[in-house]
Amino acid sequence: TGSGGFLWGIAGGTTIGLPPIYHHATEEVKRRVIPGCLRGEKVCCLCITEPTAGSDVANLKATAKLDGDHYVLNGEKKWITNGIYADYFTVAVRTGSPGSAHKGLSMLLIERDSSPGITTSKMDCMGVWPSGTTYIEFDNVKVPKKNVVGKVGDGFKQIMYNFNHERWMLAAQASRLARTCVEESLRYARKRMTFGKHLIEHQVIQHKIGEMARQCEGLQAWLENVTFQMNTMSKEEQNRKLGGHIALLKLSSSRVAEFCASNAMQVLGGAGYTRSGKGTKVERIYREVKAYAIPGGSEEIMLNLAAGQFGFVTRRAPDPRDKVIKHLKEELKRVQSKM
């Protein structure tokens, strides 16, 4: 289709919102949620990003406070794929103290039909229009304790592991969209006549399409290599070894897609600038490339993550004085508490 919006509208939210349920929820929750989603009768979405925290997951502010046999959820989520369509919300929340950073995060399953206090508003975005990008408000939403996904306090780990799958999915989509740009460029260049010959006969156009194809082939080979490893490694080994590689794959895929969309736009000229006719797919992909460069971890975050996992970043060696300073601070607090 040459449409990221179509892909995301069909299953974008469920593809990333359901895996935490599949891997970590109780058997009762799995039986209740998974079948309807896989049949396409229900929609699930993943709620991590907030107005003030996206890639910086440890600084999420939405809170869930335990009150008897349920949690009370308050907070906001933003840029949530399929949120306006969703029946289920897999939500990252802070169940620990505000200063607990990533250690205080948990995942909860919210069910729209039985959870008053949820407000969803569609956001108008640059691309992927059918995806239902959503701003969500949770106002004193009661969540049964049985809807905790996995263990309380394990949310950060679950989010990080889920990112590998999400980024692989985005890389596969971006790779296909980049290839679509090559196909559309070839189709147009073989028919369009300029200066008495077909556009494809001009060497400068041949170079553009050749460079696009070169990058697509390299990306496809890398994608298939990582996919093979994901299908042969255990889940634990994947999480331990592939995070940095998948991050770089996701980064490369968005840059190749952006390069191909830009060059396809130049090949098609005015036709590529028009939201109809021969340039429909190229114009749409050009608007949607940033939906692959930013969501799921921005390009900048992907580089930082890979550098850290591959050991490119040198960390400061422990300073013996740190322990002394820490001890003095604790002693000061102890003395102040007695005053």
Side-chain angles (χ1 to χ4, degrees):
T1 61
S3 171
F6 174 80
L7 297 171
W8 291 23
I10 290 292
T14 299
T15 307
I16 58 178
L18 197 60
I21 307 299
Y22 177 83
H23 290 295
H24 305 290
T26 64
E27 291 303 316
E28 186 276 329
V29 169
K30 290 179 183 180
R31 287 194 298 269
R32 181 154 44 88
V33 173
I34 293 177
C37 290
L38 295 185
R39 288 195 297 264
E41 299 165 357
K42 300 287 185 179
V43 174
C44 183
C45 70
L46 182 67
C47 303
I48 296 177
T49 304
E50 298 179 357
T52 58
S55 297
D56 188 6
V57 175
N59 279 320
L60 296 179
K61 293 181 172 60
T63 61
K65 296 182 179 180
L66 187 59
D67 183 9
D69 62 351
H70 60 264
Y71 285 89
V72 179
L73 170 60
N74 284 284
E76 305 165 296
K77 297 292 177 179
K78 198 171 185 182
W79 296 290
I80 305 304
T81 301
N82 290 177
I84 56 170
Y85 314 135
D87 302 284
Y88 303 115
F89 304 81
T90 306
V91 188
V93 295
R94 185 163 299 286
T95 50
S97 63
S100 57
H102 66 277
K103 295 180 180 179
L105 296 178
S106 302
M107 296 279 274
L108 301 179
L109 170 68
I110 318 297
E111 301 172 72
R112 189 193 288 264
D113 289 345
S114 58
S115 305
I118 303 173
T119 303
T120 56
S121 307
K122 186 177 186 299
M123 299 175 64
D124 293 325
C125 297
M126 179 179 177
V128 293
W129 298 341
S131 68
T133 306
T134 307
Y135 172 68
I136 304 175
E137 296 173 275
F138 297 106
D139 183 14
N140 290 322
V141 177
K142 292 185 177 181
V143 187
K145 287 172 63 176
K146 65 181 181 181
N147 280 23
V148 173
V149 179
K151 297 179 181 179
V152 174
D154 275 1
F156 185 82
K157 181 171 65 175
Q158 294 169 14
I159 294 166
M160 293 299 106
Y161 289 172
N162 200 58
F163 270 143
N164 283 343
H165 176 265
E166 178 179 356
R167 289 163 184 163
W168 169 83
M169 176 193 72
L170 291 171
Q173 292 184 14
S175 176
R176 177 62 253 188
L177 293 178
R179 193 174 290 271
T180 299
C181 288
V182 178
E183 294 169 353
E184 293 300 300
S185 297
L186 276 170
R187 183 175 291 111
Y188 184 81
R190 285 169 175 164
K191 293 180 179 179
R192 171 74 167 173
M193 297 291 295
T194 60
F195 304 103
K197 56 183 177 181
H198 288 99
L199 197 61
I200 193 65
E201 296 180 77
H202 295 284
Q203 191 176 55
V204 67
I205 301 300
Q206 294 173 10
H207 286 182
K208 282 183 181 296
I209 296 177
E211 183 64 18
M212 292 159 64
R214 179 188 69 82
Q215 294 194 30
C216 282
E217 289 300 308
L219 176 61
Q220 183 70 28
W222 192 1
L223 174 64
E224 291 181 6
N225 179 280
V226 169
T227 304
F228 173 80
Q229 294 182 66
M230 291 175 73
N231 278 279
T232 52
M233 290 181 178
S234 67
K235 194 69 178 177
E236 293 71 24
E237 191 177 10
Q238 288 179 42
N239 291 331
R240 189 170 67 252
K241 295 181 178 179
L242 292 184
H245 294 280
I246 293 175
L248 290 183
L249 172 64
K250 194 262 185 187
L251 161 69
S252 185
S253 71
S254 61
R255 290 193 174 175
V256 170
E258 188 165 7
F259 176 86
C260 290
S262 178
N263 278 272
M265 181 75 74
Q266 290 300 120
V267 172
L268 271 72
Y273 190 70
T274 309
R275 289 186 182 176
S276 61
K278 297 176 180 178
T280 299
K281 291 182 181 180
V282 169
E283 185 276 333
R284 183 167 56 229
I285 293 171
Y286 189 84
R287 279 186 289 106
E288 293 184 343
V289 290
K290 287 302 178 183
Y292 292 87
I294 299 171
S298 68
E299 292 181 348
E300 294 76 14
I301 294 295
M302 295 299 91
L303 284 171
N304 278 358
L305 172 62
Q309 291 209 359
F310 296 153
F312 300 156
V313 181
T314 56
R315 293 175 172 82
R316 181 175 68 88
D319 190 330
R321 292 172 294 183
D322 291 345
K323 291 185 177 180
V324 177
I325 294 171
K326 181 180 179 181
H327 174 73
L328 290 174
K329 287 182 178 179
E330 291 174 350
E331 191 67 17
L332 179 60
K333 285 183 179 179
R334 187 180 65 79
V335 173
Q336 288 176 333
S337 66
K338 293 182 177 181
M339 294 177 64

